């Protein structure tokens, strides 16, 4: 058993499984605005709606917001956790922001599909998924995965010791 950081080019001695889902929750793939896609079902060029922007959520911030009403949004940074009722992201580049009476609003004039620009919980690794198989040669990318999943120690095969004894006069 060795530190996973020191396992480069070693041979894995037993199967290693993920003990967690990664990412741990739905999160944003882009900076932008999170909305509930159901609020956009009937929107079009002739029937647009203003969504009040409640707050900004960055990666690592507590994503909980109480009493979210229809036609409300939050500004989000890449990696921010997204909770219900928000289920889709409108990137900054596609957003139309309006400021009225010192309040920020997001104007939407089309239907937005669910899960746009969202990395879903467990989409990289699911709990119980095999990460390394017994007999695999450990690469640098494997070490990154192990560290990402919080696996600090792993079992590897002992290194083979090779000794050369020259004989003869070649």
């Amino acid at each position: 058993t060795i530190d996973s950081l020191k396992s480069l080019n070693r041979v894995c001695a037993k199967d290693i499984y993920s003990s967690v889902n990664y990412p741990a929750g739905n999160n944003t793939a882009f900076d932008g605005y999170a909305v509930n896609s159901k609020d956009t079902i009937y929107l079009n060029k002739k029937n647009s709606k203003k969504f009040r922007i409640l707050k900004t959520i960055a990666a690592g911030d507590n994503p909980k917001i109480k009493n979210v009403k229809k036609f409300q949004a939050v500004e989000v940074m890449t990696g921010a956790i997204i909770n219900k009722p928000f289920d889709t992201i409108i990137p900054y580049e596609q957003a139309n922001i309006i400021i009225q009476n010192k309040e920020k609003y997001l104007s939407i004039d089309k239907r937005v599909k669910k899960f746009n620009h969202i990395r879903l919980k467990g989409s990289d690794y699911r709990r119980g998924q095999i990460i390394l198989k017994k007999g695999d040669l450990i690469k640098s990318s494997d070490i990154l995965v192990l560290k990402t999943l919080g696996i600090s120690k792993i079992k590897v095969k002992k290194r083979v010791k090779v000794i050369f004894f020259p004989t003869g006069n070649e």
Side-chain angles (χ1 to χ4, degrees):
T1 300
I2 64 170
D3 188 299
S4 60
L5 281 178
K6 297 178 181 177
S7 64
L8 184 63
N9 295 323
R10 299 292 296 267
V11 176
C12 188
K14 70 175 203 171
D15 292 345
I16 298 174
Y17 298 89
S18 176
S19 62
V20 296
N21 287 320
Y22 188 82
N26 293 350
N27 69 57
T28 63
F30 284 91
D31 292 346
Y33 300 92
V35 299
N36 183 342
S37 60
K38 289 178 185 175
D39 292 346
T40 69
I41 289 174
Y42 300 108
L43 301 183
N44 55 49
K45 295 280 184 197
K46 293 179 183 176
N47 182 30
S48 65
K49 192 72 179 169
K50 290 189 307 187
F51 287 64
R52 186 168 163 256
I53 299 171
L54 302 174
K55 70 183 234 177
T56 300
I57 302 173
D61 286 353
N62 183 346
K64 292 185 179 171
I65 303 172
K66 294 180 180 178
N67 303 322
V68 177
K69 298 178 179 86
K70 282 187 81 155
F71 308 114
Q72 292 186 329
V74 290
E75 184 176 16
V76 291
M77 303 299 135
T78 302
I81 298 293
I82 297 298
N83 284 337
K84 289 181 180 178
F86 305 114
D87 62 7
T88 194
I89 305 299
I90 298 172
Y92 282 146
E93 299 81 10
Q94 298 170 12
N96 182 17
I97 301 301
I98 300 168
I99 298 176
Q100 285 182 329
N101 302 326
K102 298 183 183 179
E103 292 269 350
K104 275 177 77 173
Y105 294 89
L106 172 66
S107 178
I108 301 177
D109 62 1
K110 65 180 179 181
R111 183 178 184 169
V112 182
K113 290 189 330 187
K114 191 174 186 177
F115 300 129
N116 275 346
H117 311 295
I118 299 277
R119 289 187 294 236
L120 298 174
K121 175 182 178 177
S123 59
D124 290 345
Y125 301 100
R126 290 219 165 268
R127 180 180 301 184
Q129 178 182 346
I130 193 158
I131 304 302
L132 282 171
K133 293 181 182 173
K134 180 179 179 179
D136 283 352
L137 181 66
I138 300 169
K139 304 176 290 303
S140 57
S141 58
D142 298 324
I143 294 172
L144 175 63
V145 171
L146 293 170
K147 285 315 231 179
T148 299
L149 297 174
I151 301 168
S152 58
K153 301 278 186 191
I154 63 168
K155 286 192 180 231
V156 295
K157 301 260 185 188
K158 284 189 176 183
R159 286 197 166 135
V160 177
K161 292 183 182 180
V162 178
I163 299 173
F164 289 97
F165 290 104
T167 60
N169 59 1
E170 296 90 32

